[in-house]
């Protein structure tokens, strides 16, 4: 149980384009999902908390107009990186919490490369 | 002071030995504690959760929690080369679902043949 998928697993795009990443909970419903970014050799950085049916909560320093989050259903959250630039190249990972406790289960991650 | 502190390592142990990974946290109100394993280039995988003081065992893994000392540890018995990874400690302020986790920077474990 508690399986989370992400799509795509990797993406290469040109500078200035937008990229959408999907995060799905496959065998449970998730009111809350989380989006992280991880640069090489660094720890996880929480970007935002995605709440089904309401606006996402962004961490300090994360541009909400650049990283658009939509949690339209109890099994799907999307992260759109708008007008991507090379500095946005990173490993983006989502997680979901099936409840009732705080365990988060992570998707396999999406590796974004912006040329 | 970082909210969750871990020694970055690398911690090297011989195969078959016990690996001991440590974590301290600053928020005395923390209620939930987790250990994740992350292989290079992969996403984190939950291996242990603990909520009460004392020990919790699951197979070769034992998590230990001491809230008074604000300390949580992970013991890996009979360490195998496949245990070589970065281990992340994470804490949350409550036990209820939907709350964000605060992660440490991780300890790299190397199990040598």
């Amino acid at each position: 149980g508690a399986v989370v998928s992400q799509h795509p697993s990797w993406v290469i795009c040109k500078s200035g384009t937008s990229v959408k990443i999907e995060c799905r909970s496959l065998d449970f419903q998730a009111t809350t999902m989380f989006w992280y970014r991880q640069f090489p050799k660094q720890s996880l950085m929480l970007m935002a908390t995605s709440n089904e049916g309401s606006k996402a909560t962004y961490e300090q320093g994360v541009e909400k107009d650049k990283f658009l989050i939509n949690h339209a259903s109890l099994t799907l959250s999307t992260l759109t990186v708008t007008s991507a630039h090379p500095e946005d190249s990173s490993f983006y990972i989502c997680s979901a919490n099936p409840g009732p406790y705080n365990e988060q289960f992570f998707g396999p991650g999406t590796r974004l490369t912006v040329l | 002071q970082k909210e969750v502190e871990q020694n970055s390592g690398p911690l090297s142990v011989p195969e078959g030995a016990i690996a001991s990974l440590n974590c301290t946290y600053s928020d005395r109100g923390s209620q939930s504690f987790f250990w994740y394993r992350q292989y290079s280039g992969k996403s984190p995988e939950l291996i242990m959760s603990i909520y009460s003081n004392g020990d919790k065992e699951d197979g070769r893994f034992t998590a230990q929690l001491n809230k008074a000392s604000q300390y949580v540890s992970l013991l890996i018995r009979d360490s195998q080369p496949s245990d070589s990874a970065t281990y992340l400690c994470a804490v949350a302020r409550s036990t209820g679902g939907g709350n964000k986790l605060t992660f440490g920077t991780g300890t790299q474990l190397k199990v040598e043949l």
Side-chain angles (χ1 to χ4, degrees):
Chain A
V3 179
V4 178
S5 71
Q6 268 183 257
H7 178 81
S9 55
W10 60 269
V11 57
I12 301 173
C13 69
K14 292 182 179 179
S15 186
T17 61
S18 294
V19 174
K20 180 185 282 189
I21 302 169
E22 292 187 349
C23 177
R24 293 182 185 271
S25 55
L26 298 185
D27 52 0
F28 64 96
Q29 294 183 328
T31 305
T32 306
M33 292 184 173
F34 303 86
W35 287 96
Y36 294 84
R37 180 167 56 181
Q38 187 173 38
F39 293 106
K41 306 287 187 185
Q42 295 188 25
S43 189
L44 293 170
M45 187 195 84
L46 178 65
M47 300 175 66
T49 301
S50 169
N51 301 296
E52 188 268 336
S54 64
K55 291 183 179 180
T57 303
Y58 290 82
E59 294 299 301
Q60 191 172 11
V62 177
E63 300 175 61
K64 61 182 180 180
D65 294 332
K66 180 169 183 63
F67 299 100
L68 301 179
I69 291 172
N70 187 334
H71 194 155
S73 77
L74 289 173
T75 59
L76 173 64
S77 176
T78 60
L79 168 68
T80 301
V81 183
T82 62
S83 186
H85 291 287
E87 58 266 30
D88 298 323
S89 298
S90 189
F91 190 40
Y92 291 87
I93 317 172
C94 72
S95 71
N97 167 240
Y101 301 109
N102 272 321
E103 287 92 344
Q104 289 182 23
F105 294 89
F106 286 84
T110 297
R111 200 163 297 281
L112 170 63
T113 301
V114 184
L115 302 177
Chain B
Q1 182 186 11
K2 292 181 181 177
E3 293 184 65
V4 180
E5 293 207 51
Q6 297 181 254
N7 188 318
S8 62
L11 171 66
S12 294
V13 300
E15 183 178 7
I18 296 175
S20 178
L21 305 163
N22 304 314
C23 172
T24 58
Y25 59 94
S26 61
D27 185 353
R28 193 168 281 278
S30 299
Q31 297 292 327
S32 308
F33 307 87
F34 308 92
W35 283 99
Y36 286 84
R37 176 176 63 198
Q38 186 175 25
Y39 292 112
S40 181
K42 302 294 186 182
S43 65
E45 173 191 9
L46 178 66
I47 53 174
M48 290 289 286
S49 58
I50 187 166
Y51 303 95
S52 304
N53 281 328
D55 296 358
K56 179 181 178 182
E57 185 175 318
D58 184 0
R60 295 186 297 113
F61 300 100
T62 298
Q64 299 175 318
L65 175 62
N66 184 325
K67 290 184 179 179
S69 300
Q70 296 175 242
Y71 175 93
V72 58
S73 65
L74 179 70
L75 300 178
I76 306 175
R77 289 181 299 281
D78 188 23
S79 295
Q80 301 297 310
S82 59
D83 294 326
S84 297
T86 296
Y87 289 80
L88 302 170
C89 173
V91 304
R93 276 201 63 98
S94 75
T95 56
N99 291 282
K100 66 180 183 180
L101 302 182
T102 301
F103 283 86
T105 53
T107 298
Q108 184 183 5
L109 173 67
K110 292 185 177 180
V111 180
E112 300 167 332
L113 295 170

